[in-house]
């Protein structure tokens, strides 16, 4: 039996990972600030631990709870994230700080807290974004945070390799979740027009790749896009 910790496991991509890992028989714990609004389809043994990844003390308590309940950890998925848009001439410092604190420093602090309790051969999967690998106007904070996650992934892959711990980055394109639900139809269509597949992805499709990457045995420090072909184009769409 393996133990998984999924940050941002209450909703969206993280939630889909939780469902797939639990269905395969894993013990799963989640970190989020609020509990899942709907536990339908989640086995009783999925442990929701109220944790704010922007608060190192909250993370420390959360990891301790998981350790007490399940012992060591085999897989950590850093999916907790927030998006705040804004160009360099418009973004306020508060939005920048929130995005960096959650998407980048949060993942760093979770990795730092779990490293001592990761079992040999464990896996960390960080959830990046296409805009962390390509310049997308209006995403100065989010793109910078996700680019930082790419660096964190590679450094940790090397540092933790002697313990047989793999660290990889899965890079979703545009996925239908609460994070993207606020986009108006016109803006959404403009994004869809740039995707070679001509459609957005689902949380389930991203989770399938996260689970496969977590289970791989010889992949580390890798960047794995799941984006309907977004990164393969020069922006010309289909
Ligand atoms: P989502 O549906 O908005 O879910 C975000 C999750 O993160 C929730 O469980 C949320 O729970 C949690 N979270 C946010 N801030 C947190 C904090 N301070 N502490 C603990 N948990 C926190 O978003 P999603 O679309 O599934 O995104 C998941 C990951 O994929 C993110 O890293 C995102 O950047 C990345 N991504 C998404 C897309 C996309 O198109 N949707 C594309 C590329 C990458 P609480 O609010 O209750 O804390």
């Amino acid at each position: 039996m393996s133990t998984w910790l999924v940050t941002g496991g209450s909703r969206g991509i993280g939630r889909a990972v939780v469902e797939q890992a639990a269905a395969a028989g894993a013990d799963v714990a989640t970190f989020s600030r609020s509990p899942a609004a709907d536990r339908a389809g989640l086995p009783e043994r999925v442990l929701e631990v109220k944790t704010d990844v922007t608060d190192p003390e909250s993370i420390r308590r959360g990891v301790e709870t998981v350790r007490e309940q399940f012992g060591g950890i085999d897989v950590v998925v850093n999916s907790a994230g927030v998006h705040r848009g804004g160009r360099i001439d418009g973004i306020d410092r508060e939005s920048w700080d929130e995005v960096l604190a959650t998407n980048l420093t949060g993942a760093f602090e979770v990795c730092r807290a779990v490293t001592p309790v990761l079992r040999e051969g464990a896996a960390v999967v960080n959830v990046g974004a296409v805009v962390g690998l390509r310049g997308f106007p209006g995403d100065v904070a989010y793109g910078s945070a996700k680019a930082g996650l790419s660096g964190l992934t590679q450094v940790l892959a090397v540092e933790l390799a002697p313990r047989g711990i793999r660290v990889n980055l899965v890079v979703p394109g545009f996925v239908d979740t609460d994070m993207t639900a606020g986009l108006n139809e016109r803006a959404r269509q403009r994004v869809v027009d740039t995707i070679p597949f001509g459609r957005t992805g689902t949380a389930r499709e991203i989770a399938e790749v996260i689970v496969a990457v977590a289970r791989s045995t010889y992949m580390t420090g890798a960047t794995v896009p799941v984006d309907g072909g977004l990164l393969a184009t020069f922006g010309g769409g289909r």
Side-chain angles (χ1 to χ4, degrees):
M1 179 80 82
S2 63
T3 300
W4 291 47
L5 169 61
V6 183
T7 77
S10 60
R11 291 187 272 125
I13 294 168
R15 167 67 179 248
V17 171
V18 170
E19 288 175 7
Q20 291 177 25
D27 284 329
V28 185
T30 66
F31 281 179
S32 57
R33 294 164 300 179
S34 309
D38 169 19
R39 274 193 66 108
L42 281 189
E44 264 305 300
R45 67 175 193 286
V46 171
L47 176 70
E48 290 188 274
V49 187
K50 182 176 159 56
T51 303
D52 183 344
V53 301
T54 67
D55 175 359
E57 178 53 25
S58 174
I59 293 172
R60 192 197 61 72
R61 283 197 305 270
V63 170
E64 184 54 22
T65 302
V66 178
R67 197 193 57 76
E68 279 167 15
Q69 189 77 21
F70 295 132
I73 297 175
D74 300 287
V75 176
V76 177
V77 178
N78 279 307
S79 188
V82 292
H83 180 269
R84 302 283 176 263
R87 289 177 177 250
I88 188 69
D89 54 0
I91 193 151
D92 54 81
R93 177 60 192 259
E94 198 183 323
S95 300
W96 169 273
D97 285 345
E98 183 187 3
V99 168
L100 271 287
T102 309
N103 295 276
L104 179 57
T105 311
F108 159 72
E109 291 288 4
V110 168
C111 287
R112 187 147 77 148
V114 296
T115 299
V117 296
L118 286 179
R119 295 194 176 108
E120 191 173 327
V124 176
V125 184
N126 293 322
V127 182
V130 162
V131 297
L133 302 175
R134 299 282 188 278
F136 186 76
D139 260 343
V140 66
Y142 187 72
S144 300
K146 293 301 189 183
L149 210 44
S150 175
L152 179 71
T153 300
Q154 293 181 74
V155 173
L156 293 189
V158 177
E159 289 188 357
L160 299 180
R163 287 175 57 193
I165 295 169
R166 292 160 289 110
V167 187
N168 292 292
L169 183 72
V170 167
V171 179
F174 189 96
V175 186
D176 286 314
T177 65
D178 290 351
M179 187 174 279
T180 51
L183 213 60
N184 67 50
E185 195 43 46
R186 213 163 134 254
R188 188 176 184 283
Q189 192 53 50
R190 270 208 309 274
V191 176
V192 170
D193 287 344
T194 66
I195 304 171
F197 262 10
R199 68 169 179 86
T200 56
T202 65
R204 184 183 55 77
E205 289 173 305
I206 310 303
E208 281 168 1
V209 176
I210 292 173
V211 169
V213 166
R215 289 196 181 125
S216 70
T217 53
Y218 196 59
M219 180 192 287
T220 199
T223 299
V224 183
V226 197
D227 64 356
L230 255 182
L231 282 172
T233 77
F234 55 88
R238 317 172 74 182

